[in-house]
Structure formats: structure tokens, C-alpha cells
Amino acid sequence: MNEKPDKLIDKKGIRLDGRKADELRPVKLQVGVLPNADGSAYIEHGKNKILAAAFGPREMHPKHLSQPDKMVLRCRYHMAPFSVQERKSPAPSRREVELSKVIKECLEPALFLDLYPRTGVDLYIEILQADGGTRCASITAAALALADAGVPMRDLVVGCAAGKIDDTVVLDLYDAEDKLGAADVPVAYMPSLNAVTLLQMDGILTTDEFEKAMNMAIDGCKKIYEMQKEALKTKYMVVKAEGEE
Ligand code: ADP
């Protein structure tokens, strides 16, 4: 984007990409896309395109990192050099190290870590194309990859952000809104347990705006949750049909 537009949302409440304030970008989910992984998922969330691959629970390497009383979840969030307009160095940036950590920590509450002592689960997240909100979309895909790997879970975890552009609280910011807007609040949520596992905030909101953004993000998570469940079912319908052939 070369110039900052005067307005990110018009008088009728329509955003630059044509969405209403409380509208999600189109989301497409697919489970079991990588035969070499124990579990995998692909998400298109607006223009974001992300692959998640899960391996394990398996023996931990190096062994000294294993825990005698629980499984260890390791997570690597990585942006491909071609995922953004200007080539991104393939080396891990501070941002990728932070996102790997927050994604791991927001997924852990969904896992029964003490069921698999001394083992590890490795989660690889590859951002093929980024357009704002990649941490949230990564969480949605990563939870599906874990479920696809057969890792027992208390609930799926869904990621969705809300924020503020100009003076309006909106759902699911894309890149330009994220960069030019006033605030971004990424949320990860376990819908069946009604538990928030990630809450970050970039920018400033009033208490009322924050409450509105939280509610919007949680509503967004609930909508994506339905799509996650459908994507899991679709994979097993295909497996079932193949088994019956
Ligand atoms: P999130 O993707 O979770 O919103 P950020 O707020 O840190 O995380 O990033 C917002 C967006 O900025 C990303 O989705 C991506 O489109 C863009 N971005 C991130 N890193 C780079 C980079 N190195 N070069 C260009 N754009 C980037």
C-alpha cells in the first residue's frame, strides 16, 4: 500500500474490502492434506494461506528436553520468504519466535499433556501467504492438525481477532486495517469450554470498545469453530467412503 486512505470504513459502515464491521473474511479449511505428517490442516482465511503439520506424540529428541511427567509441545511458526510482498528472510525473526511461543501456549490448555509423559508433539506452521491475522488463522489450523494426528483434546482452539479502524470496532482485520487501524485484539478461544487461551492487544481501546471487540472476536471464533468441525467430519467421511470401496 503506497498511500494511507482517508477512511478505512465509510459512512455506511462498509470497509475497504467491502465487508461490514462484524463480517469475517471467507474461511476455507481442509484436514489431512500432508500424507507425511501424523496430522495436518490447510487454512485460507481471507488472503492468508497457511499449512499446519503435527507429528507425535513421539519420543522426544533431544531426549534431555523430555519431561518425566508430561508431553512437551513444540511449535514453529514460519513465514515463507514469498509470503509477503517484500521478500522475508527465511531465518526466524523475533516476531516468528514470539508467535511460535504464543501459539504453543494457547494450544496447551486444550491438550492432556500428562497422558503422554516423556514424549513430544511437534507442530510446524508454514505461512505461504500473509494478509494480517496469521497468528489467529495458524491457531485454527494447528488445532485441526493436532486433532487429525489423533492427539486427545479437551476442545478445539480457534483464533480470531477484532480491533478498531477509524472510530469503529470491527471483526477480523486484514493487513491494511492491522497496519493503519487503531487497535488489534487477537483472541484464541475454546468454544465448548468457553475459555480464552490467548489475548493480546496492540493499540488503545476504551473499556467499552474492548468489551465489544472481545465479544465480536468470540462470536467470530464460534463461527469458525463450526467450520473446523465440518472440516474434520469431511476428512473422516472420505476415509469412511474409501474404506467401504
Ligand atoms: P498477525 O499476522 O498475527 O496479524 P502481525 O500483527 O505481527 O501478526 O502482522 C500483521 C501482518 O503484517 C502479517 O499478517 C503480514 O501480512 C504482515 N507482515 C508480517 N511480517 C512481515 C514482513 N516481514 N514483511 C512484510 N509484511 C509482514
Side-chain angles (χ1 to χ4, degrees), residues 80-114:
F82 52 80
S83 62
V84 285
Q85 257 183 353
E86 292 248 331
R87 177 185 181 274
K88 185 216 151 270
S89 158
S93 61
R94 281 179 66 96
R95 175 179 170 275
E96 286 166 300
V97 173
E98 179 211 324
L99 293 199
S100 300
K101 180 176 186 289
V102 300
I103 293 171
K104 162 190 150 75
E105 288 175 358
C106 83
L107 292 167
E108 277 175 342
L111 303 178
F112 296 91
L113 298 175
D114 50 358

Coordinates of all heavy atoms in Angstrom, one line a residue, residues 80-114:
A80 N 7.1 -18.1 4.9 CA 7.9 -18.4 3.7 C 8.4 -17.0 3.2 O 7.7 -16.0 3.3 CB 7.0 -19.1 2.7
P81 N 9.6 -17.0 2.5 CA 10.1 -15.8 2.0 C 9.2 -15.1 1.0 O 9.2 -13.9 0.9 CB 11.4 -16.2 1.3 CG 11.8 -17.5 1.9 CD 10.5 -18.2 2.4
F82 N 8.3 -15.9 0.4 CA 7.5 -15.3 -0.6 C 6.1 -15.0 -0.1 O 5.2 -14.7 -0.8 CB 7.3 -16.3 -1.8 CG 6.9 -17.7 -1.4 CD1 5.6 -18.0 -1.1 CD2 7.9 -18.7 -1.2 CE1 5.3 -19.3 -0.7 CE2 7.6 -19.9 -0.8 CZ 6.3 -20.2 -0.5
S83 N 5.9 -15.1 1.2 CA 4.6 -14.9 1.8 C 4.1 -13.5 1.9 O 2.9 -13.2 2.2 CB 4.5 -15.6 3.2 OG 5.4 -14.9 4.1
V84 N 5.0 -12.6 1.8 CA 4.7 -11.1 1.9 C 5.3 -10.4 0.6 O 6.1 -11.1 -0.1 CB 5.3 -10.5 3.2 CG1 4.4 -10.9 4.4 CG2 6.7 -10.9 3.4
Q85 N 4.9 -9.2 0.4 CA 5.3 -8.6 -0.9 C 6.8 -8.4 -1.0 O 7.4 -8.7 -2.0 CB 4.6 -7.2 -1.0 CG 3.5 -7.3 -2.0 CD 2.8 -6.0 -2.2 OE1 3.1 -5.0 -1.6 NE2 1.9 -6.0 -3.2
E86 N 7.5 -7.9 0.1 CA 8.9 -7.8 0.1 C 9.5 -9.1 0.6 O 9.0 -9.5 1.6 CB 9.4 -6.6 1.0 CG 9.0 -5.3 0.6 CD 10.2 -4.4 0.2 OE1 11.3 -4.7 0.7 OE2 10.0 -3.6 -0.7
R87 N 10.5 -9.7 -0.1 CA 11.0 -10.9 0.4 C 11.3 -10.9 1.9 O 12.0 -10.0 2.3 CB 12.3 -11.3 -0.4 CG 12.9 -12.6 0.0 CD 14.2 -12.8 -0.7 NE 14.8 -14.1 -0.3 CZ 15.6 -14.2 0.8 NH1 15.9 -13.2 1.5 NH2 16.1 -15.4 1.1
K88 N 10.9 -11.9 2.6 CA 11.2 -12.0 4.0 C 12.3 -13.0 4.2 O 12.3 -14.1 3.5 CB 10.0 -12.5 4.8 CG 10.2 -12.5 6.3 CD 9.5 -13.7 6.9 CE 10.2 -14.1 8.2 NZ 11.2 -15.1 8.0
S89 N 13.3 -12.7 5.0 CA 14.4 -13.6 5.2 C 13.9 -14.9 5.8 O 13.0 -14.9 6.6 CB 15.4 -13.0 6.2 OG 16.2 -14.0 6.8
P90 N 14.4 -16.0 5.3 CA 13.9 -17.3 5.8 C 14.3 -17.6 7.2 O 13.8 -18.4 7.9 CB 14.4 -18.4 4.8 CG 15.6 -17.7 4.1 CD 15.3 -16.2 4.1
A91 N 15.3 -16.8 7.7 CA 15.7 -17.0 9.1 C 14.7 -16.6 10.1 O 13.9 -15.7 9.8 CB 17.0 -16.2 9.3
P92 N 14.5 -17.3 11.2 CA 13.5 -16.9 12.1 C 13.7 -15.5 12.7 O 14.8 -15.2 13.2 CB 13.5 -18.0 13.3 CG 14.8 -18.7 13.0 CD 15.3 -18.4 11.7
S93 N 12.6 -14.7 12.6 CA 12.7 -13.3 13.2 C 12.2 -13.3 14.6 O 11.7 -14.3 15.1 CB 11.8 -12.4 12.3 OG 10.5 -12.9 12.4
R94 N 12.4 -12.2 15.3 CA 11.9 -12.1 16.7 C 10.4 -12.3 16.7 O 9.9 -13.0 17.6 CB 12.2 -10.7 17.2 CG 13.6 -10.5 17.7 CD 13.7 -9.0 18.2 NE 12.9 -8.8 19.4 CZ 13.4 -8.8 20.6 NH1 14.7 -9.1 20.8 NH2 12.6 -8.7 21.6
R95 N 9.7 -11.8 15.7 CA 8.3 -11.9 15.6 C 7.9 -13.4 15.5 O 6.9 -13.9 16.2 CB 7.8 -11.1 14.4 CG 6.3 -11.3 14.1 CD 5.9 -10.4 13.0 NE 4.5 -10.8 12.6 CZ 4.2 -11.8 11.8 NH1 5.2 -12.5 11.3 NH2 2.9 -12.0 11.5
E96 N 8.6 -14.1 14.7 CA 8.3 -15.6 14.5 C 8.5 -16.4 15.8 O 7.8 -17.3 16.1 CB 9.0 -16.2 13.3 CG 8.5 -15.7 12.0 CD 9.4 -16.0 10.8 OE1 10.6 -15.5 10.9 OE2 9.0 -16.8 9.9
V97 N 9.6 -16.0 16.5 CA 9.9 -16.7 17.8 C 8.7 -16.4 18.8 O 8.2 -17.3 19.4 CB 11.3 -16.2 18.3 CG1 11.5 -16.7 19.7 CG2 12.4 -16.6 17.4
E98 N 8.3 -15.1 18.8 CA 7.2 -14.7 19.7 C 5.9 -15.5 19.3 O 5.2 -16.1 20.2 CB 6.9 -13.2 19.6 CG 5.8 -12.8 20.6 CD 5.0 -11.6 20.1 OE1 5.6 -10.7 19.5 OE2 3.7 -11.6 20.3
L99 N 5.6 -15.5 18.0 CA 4.4 -16.2 17.6 C 4.4 -17.7 17.8 O 3.4 -18.3 18.2 CB 4.0 -15.8 16.1 CG 3.7 -14.4 15.8 CD1 3.0 -14.2 14.5 CD2 2.8 -13.8 16.9
S100 N 5.6 -18.3 17.7 CA 5.7 -19.7 18.0 C 5.4 -20.0 19.4 O 4.7 -20.9 19.8 CB 7.1 -20.2 17.7 OG 7.5 -20.0 16.4
K101 N 5.8 -19.1 20.3 CA 5.6 -19.2 21.7 C 4.1 -19.0 22.1 O 3.5 -19.8 22.8 CB 6.5 -18.2 22.5 CG 6.3 -18.3 24.0 CD 7.3 -17.3 24.7 CE 7.3 -17.4 26.2 NZ 6.1 -16.9 26.8
V102 N 3.5 -18.0 21.6 CA 2.1 -17.7 21.9 C 1.2 -18.8 21.4 O 0.2 -19.2 22.0 CB 1.6 -16.3 21.6 CG1 2.4 -15.2 22.3 CG2 1.5 -16.0 20.1
I103 N 1.5 -19.3 20.2 CA 0.6 -20.3 19.6 C 0.8 -21.6 20.4 O -0.2 -22.2 20.8 CB 1.0 -20.6 18.1 CG1 0.6 -19.3 17.3 CG2 0.3 -21.8 17.6 CD1 1.1 -19.3 15.9
K104 N 2.0 -22.0 20.8 CA 2.2 -23.2 21.7 C 1.4 -23.0 23.0 O 0.7 -23.9 23.4 CB 3.7 -23.3 22.0 CG 4.1 -24.2 23.2 CD 5.5 -24.0 23.5 CE 5.9 -24.2 24.9 NZ 5.9 -25.5 25.4
E105 N 1.5 -21.8 23.6 CA 0.9 -21.6 24.9 C -0.6 -21.6 24.8 O -1.3 -21.9 25.8 CB 1.5 -20.4 25.6 CG 2.9 -20.6 26.0 CD 3.6 -19.4 26.6 OE1 3.0 -18.3 26.6 OE2 4.7 -19.6 27.0
C106 N -1.2 -21.2 23.7 CA -2.6 -21.1 23.6 C -3.2 -22.5 23.2 O -4.4 -22.7 23.4 CB -3.1 -20.0 22.6 SG -3.1 -20.5 20.9
L107 N -2.4 -23.4 22.7 CA -2.9 -24.7 22.4 C -2.8 -25.7 23.6 O -3.6 -26.6 23.7 CB -2.1 -25.3 21.2 CG -2.4 -24.6 19.9 CD1 -1.4 -25.0 18.8 CD2 -3.8 -24.9 19.3
E108 N -1.8 -25.4 24.4 CA -1.5 -26.4 25.5 C -2.7 -26.6 26.4 O -3.0 -27.8 26.8 CB -0.3 -25.9 26.4 CG 1.0 -26.3 25.8 CD 2.2 -25.7 26.5 OE1 2.0 -24.7 27.3 OE2 3.3 -26.2 26.3
P109 N -3.5 -25.6 26.8 CA -4.7 -25.9 27.6 C -5.7 -26.9 27.0 O -6.5 -27.5 27.7 CB -5.3 -24.5 27.8 CG -4.3 -23.5 27.5 CD -3.4 -24.2 26.5
A110 N -5.6 -27.1 25.7 CA -6.6 -28.0 25.1 C -6.0 -29.4 25.1 O -6.8 -30.4 24.9 CB -6.8 -27.6 23.6
L111 N -4.8 -29.6 25.5 CA -4.2 -31.0 25.4 C -4.1 -31.6 26.8 O -3.9 -30.9 27.8 CB -2.8 -30.9 24.8 CG -2.7 -30.2 23.5 CD1 -1.2 -30.2 23.0 CD2 -3.5 -31.0 22.4
F112 N -4.2 -32.9 26.8 CA -4.0 -33.7 28.1 C -2.5 -34.0 28.2 O -2.1 -35.1 27.8 CB -4.8 -35.0 28.1 CG -6.3 -34.7 28.1 CD1 -7.0 -34.6 26.9 CD2 -7.0 -34.6 29.2 CE1 -8.3 -34.4 26.8 CE2 -8.4 -34.3 29.2 CZ -9.0 -34.2 28.0
L113 N -1.7 -33.1 28.6 CA -0.2 -33.2 28.5 C 0.3 -34.4 29.3 O 1.2 -35.1 29.0 CB 0.5 -31.9 28.9 CG 0.2 -30.7 28.0 CD1 0.9 -29.5 28.6 CD2 0.7 -30.9 26.6
D114 N -0.4 -34.6 30.5 CA 0.1 -35.6 31.4 C -0.3 -37.1 30.9 O 0.2 -38.0 31.6 CB -0.5 -35.4 32.8 CG -2.0 -35.2 32.9 OD1 -2.6 -35.2 31.8 OD2 -2.5 -35.0 34.0

